[in-house]
Amino acid sequence: MNTPPPLLEVHNVRKAFPRADGSELLVLEDVNLQLGSGQIMGLLGRSGSGKSTLLRLIAGLSEPSAGEVRYLGQRVQGPAPGIAMVFQSFALYPWLTVFENVALGLQALRVPKPEIRKRSLAAIDLIGLDGFE
């Protein structure tokens, strides 16, 4: 049986930021993960624990201090086609409903309305927001 290659791999990733005094602020160290096609993963942690930093590394918006990120077997070195990051503070339009926010991207792609409804409701169901659409 052939095992499909991982969609995303994070190998021994470390991220530190320089401080004004010459020391460094270590945010991530020895982070490893592998994600296959169709898998869903959640990142949980306190504010400041490095969740957003890891997502920026995966999206190619920042480079690790050590280690590497691979998408479809290729090292991520800058924004990669097929990877996107929606920034939390700018992700939603507060005047739209959950459904309207989810459907917005599909509308921009001019997906037919019945398909928008089907895909948006499936996405809302997938993340457990049924009843809030």
Side-chain angles (χ1 to χ4, degrees):
M1 179 169 108
N2 286 339
T3 304
L7 186 65
L8 176 72
E9 299 170 280
V10 176
H11 295 287
N12 302 316
V13 163
R14 177 181 199 278
K15 182 65 178 180
F17 296 96
R19 290 185 168 157
D21 66 3
S23 66
E24 65 180 20
L25 172 64
L26 181 61
V27 178
L28 299 171
E29 185 169 36
D30 198 28
V31 176
N32 293 282
L33 69 90
Q34 192 171 340
L35 194 61
S37 181
Q39 289 184 305
I40 298 173
M41 181 185 76
L43 295 175
L44 301 175
R46 290 181 170 151
S47 178
S49 64
K51 302 177 302 291
S52 294
T53 298
L54 179 59
L55 291 174
R56 283 184 183 91
L57 296 172
I58 290 169
L61 302 177
S62 182
E63 290 188 22
S65 303
E68 68 178 4
V69 176
R70 291 186 167 274
Y71 175 65
L72 297 175
Q74 300 296 312
R75 188 175 188 151
V76 174
Q77 296 177 305
I83 299 178
M85 179 175 173
V86 177
F87 295 93
Q88 183 177 354
S89 57
F90 303 108
L92 300 175
Y93 292 111
W95 59 87
L96 298 179
T97 65
V98 170
F99 178 86
E100 290 167 335
N101 270 286
V102 171
L104 195 59
L106 296 171
Q107 291 169 348
L109 294 173
R110 302 198 193 301
V111 172
K113 284 187 180 187
E115 183 67 14
I116 290 173
R117 180 165 179 74
K118 177 183 166 190
R119 289 170 60 179
S120 295
L121 290 175
I124 290 168
D125 181 50
L126 179 68
I127 59 173
L129 286 178
D130 262 354
F132 294 95
E133 59 274 355

